[in-house]
Amino acid sequence: MLNNIGLPGLLLIAVVVLVLFGRGKISSLMGEVGKGITAFKKGVDDGKKEIEDQAADIAKDVTPKEEKDKEKA
């Protein structure tokens, strides 16, 4: 169904949307979409950093438990 739209159909849809919502409403909506994308990317980066930090903490101490007990005694 969507394969038959083509460029003229897309232009017609864009004009109808512009007429219905107005330029100001569309620009504010796109601004909100941009903020949402930015927040999503920041969240993904924070999640990656948190996982990498946890992996680094786990990888720091590779001393066997028996040797740790000997050092404490």
Side-chain angles (χ1 to χ4, degrees):
M1 182 176 151
L2 294 178
N3 295 336
N4 299 332
I5 290 178
L7 185 61
L10 290 176
L11 289 175
L12 179 64
I13 292 170
V15 168
V16 169
V17 168
L18 186 62
V19 168
L20 288 176
F21 295 107
R23 197 176 87 208
K25 187 75 171 178
I26 291 175
S27 66
S28 66
L29 179 66
M30 290 297 111
E32 293 297 320
V33 169
K35 288 178 186 177
I37 292 171
T38 302
F40 178 77
K41 286 182 179 180
K42 185 177 184 286
V44 169
D45 290 340
D46 289 347
K48 282 183 185 178
K49 187 174 185 281
E50 184 177 326
I51 290 172
E52 289 171 357
D53 290 346
Q54 288 176 354
D57 288 342
I58 292 170
K60 282 182 186 176
D61 192 8
V62 294
T63 308
K65 185 176 179 181
E66 296 83 26
E67 288 185 28
K68 284 184 192 178
D69 292 339
K70 289 178 186 176
E71 291 175 4
K72 289 181 183 178

